[in-house]
Amino acid sequence: MLNDENHHQAPARRGPTPRTVLDTRALGRATLARQLLLDRAAVPVLDAVAHLGGLQAQEPQEPFVGLWSRLRAFDPTDLSDLLIQRRVVRTHLMRRTVHLVTADDALAWRARHGAMLRQRVLGTYRRELDGVDLDELAAAGRAVMADGEPRSMTELARALAERWPTPGPRALGEMLIAALVPVAQAPPRGLWRTKAGVRNVLLSSWLGREIDPPSPDDTDPVGQGLVRRYLAAYGPAASADLRAWCGLAGLPAAVAAVREELVAFRDERGRELLDLPDAPRPDPGTPAPVRFLPAFDNAILGYHDRSRIIDDAHRGLSVAGERVVLVDGRVAATWNVQDDTVTVTPLRRLSDADRTDVAEEGRELASFLSDHEGGRVRIART
């Protein structure tokens, strides 16, 4: 776990009895610290991806902005190199969305997410897939992919359409690629400043290792590990927040198994929040710098109750793919870029000091996105 021993630790005690109420500002500062958004971290890219539990990556270039906002002197070619070296991969995982995760996490977590992935695809295509033996479909899909040839979802579905003509290629493809057959999206998809279609390869073949099998008993070590990893990067948090991040419903036993390792709090709504005892919980008065977040950033999507970082009135922005700007630790504007110009659209009135800080950070972002060849920032008037 990444940590900063200089951060103030709010008082807490071990065990499940919550004693301290954390207000929205305290939770927001804890989130910024865990998400490497309070102070940019001087850690390798691979360590940052691991600490964050991956980055949502359905839009291939967005993780580069996410890491730029979190790491000192971030070089985007470092992330591209990790993809080429197969040390990080793009794959369907948490919430059935494409995530950029370390190779180790992809192999360790994939089986634990398998049932959830199936159910989420069935939630969309249950009628089309009615009567299809999913285990038989999975075996057939793996057999086709075993030759190591990268394939699009449509190409894989068409290879099996004669055997399963009724569902149609879309339903077949989604079930195969997003749920039944563990795959990675091969580069050049996801490389810096590169546009490329999705070409899928078997995850185990790509990484040269088999996926970790499910636990043979009911101890669920993977689930317990997910609880600890989630709290390290997102805590303090409620069980509903954990579920919103990973999409897994079956973690109450894992939470119960590790409870004695944790400390407990309450939020202002009375919800119980769990956390690692030594994780950073900065003083609520800690200054928070302006930060630009990419589309679908897990700093927002990783919670059921997102009020610690975004107002309820703006919650829809987080699922609509809007890129947002944090001012004093909260979503205060959206942003986009065109022709090397970063345009910021405030969601509320910004003070002159805030506008100056937003402009300064926006210029740095514009420079990064233009490969340091200039770049401009424009802040719309409210």
Side-chain angles (χ1 to χ4, degrees):
M1 179 186 71
L2 299 177
N3 204 343
D4 184 345
E5 61 185 10
N6 294 320
H7 281 144
H8 172 75
Q9 302 292 307
R13 58 183 292 182
R14 287 181 181 273
T17 304
R19 299 180 58 83
T20 303
V21 174
L22 299 178
D23 63 18
T24 299
R25 189 176 177 89
L27 291 175
R29 288 303 187 265
T31 294
L32 296 179
R34 310 296 174 86
Q35 286 287 304
L36 316 183
L37 293 167
L38 197 57
D39 298 299
R40 281 186 166 95
V43 300
V45 172
L46 185 66
D47 291 353
V49 174
H51 168 74
L52 295 167
L55 294 95
Q56 182 151 321
Q58 63 199 66
E59 298 293 337
Q61 296 298 300
E62 299 302 301
F64 292 95
V65 174
L67 289 171
W68 175 84
S69 287
R70 289 171 164 93
L71 300 181
R72 299 177 195 170
F74 171 63
D75 184 343
T77 61
D78 290 344
L79 180 57
S80 290
D81 288 346
L82 289 171
L83 278 162
I84 293 169
Q85 295 162 4
R86 309 184 187 192
R87 300 176 70 191
V88 300
V89 294
R90 294 170 49 82
T91 187
H92 286 88
L93 206 58
M94 284 76 76
R95 307 187 299 276
R96 194 172 75 88
T97 54
V98 176
H99 271 71
L100 184 77
V101 295
T102 68
D104 289 342
D105 284 344
L107 294 169
W109 294 351
R110 181 54 174 78
R112 186 62 178 82
H113 286 74
M116 177 272 292
L117 295 173
R118 287 190 182 201
Q119 289 304 312
R120 293 217 168 188
V121 176
L122 285 174
T124 303
Y125 297 106
R126 188 175 301 277
R127 180 178 59 81
E128 291 88 339
L129 294 166
D130 184 45
V132 174
D133 186 316
L134 296 183
D135 291 336
E136 185 180 349
L137 179 62
R142 285 193 295 268
V144 171
M145 298 294 290
D147 62 4
E149 185 70 23
R151 288 179 172 83
S152 69
M153 182 180 74
T154 300
E155 288 169 342
L156 177 57
R158 285 175 177 168
L160 299 173
E162 184 175 349
R163 188 169 172 185
W164 284 281
T166 303
R170 183 70 185 186
L172 273 186
E174 288 279 357
M175 179 56 80
L176 286 162
I177 293 299
L180 297 182
V181 182
V183 295
Q185 295 184 358
R189 181 75 169 179
L191 301 184
W192 175 238
R193 301 180 71 85
T194 300
K195 292 184 179 180
V198 178
R199 309 291 290 176
N200 301 287
V201 291
L202 285 178
L203 185 62
S204 57
S205 298
W206 183 251
L207 298 180
R209 289 178 285 164
E210 291 300 320
I211 294 168
D212 293 354
S215 175
D217 52 35
D218 295 329
T219 58
D220 193 14
V222 176
Q224 293 175 32
L226 283 169
V227 174
R228 298 185 186 98
R229 293 280 297 278
Y230 175 74
L231 292 177
Y234 296 86
S239 294
D241 297 318
L242 168 66
R243 186 166 59 248
W245 169 69
C246 64
L248 299 174
L251 286 179
V255 172
V258 302
R259 276 181 76 89
E260 290 305 312
E261 304 174 17
L262 308 176
V263 292
F265 303 92
R266 293 281 179 188
D267 65 12
E268 293 176 300
R269 295 167 47 194
R271 297 190 313 160
E272 182 185 57
L273 308 176
L274 299 175
D275 203 6
L276 303 174
D278 298 324
R281 290 179 288 275
D283 187 286
T286 303
V290 169
R291 290 290 185 256
F292 282 69
L293 296 186
F296 306 113
D297 195 284
N298 276 341
I300 300 175
L301 294 185
Y303 299 95
H304 173 70
D305 182 358
R306 299 169 186 165
S307 62
R308 66 179 66 193
I309 198 168
I310 188 170
D311 294 343
D312 286 342
H314 301 139
R315 182 184 173 99
L317 298 175
S318 61
V319 295
E322 293 281 358
R323 298 155 163 169
V324 299
V325 184
L326 302 183
V327 177
D328 192 27
R330 299 190 62 77
V331 172
T334 62
W335 69 274
N336 59 58
V337 61
Q338 187 174 8
D339 299 328
D340 294 335
T341 298
V342 169
T343 299
V344 177
T345 304
L347 297 169
R348 59 172 173 79
R349 185 184 179 280
L350 301 179
S351 69
D352 290 342
D354 287 341
R355 292 178 71 89
T356 297
D357 291 343
V358 169
E360 180 179 352
E361 186 75 357
R363 277 190 291 270
E364 293 293 327
L365 175 60
S367 176
F368 168 74
L369 293 174
S370 65
D371 286 339
H372 308 291
E373 294 182 357
R376 299 169 298 277
V377 63
R378 185 179 73 86
I379 304 177
R381 288 289 174 184
T382 54

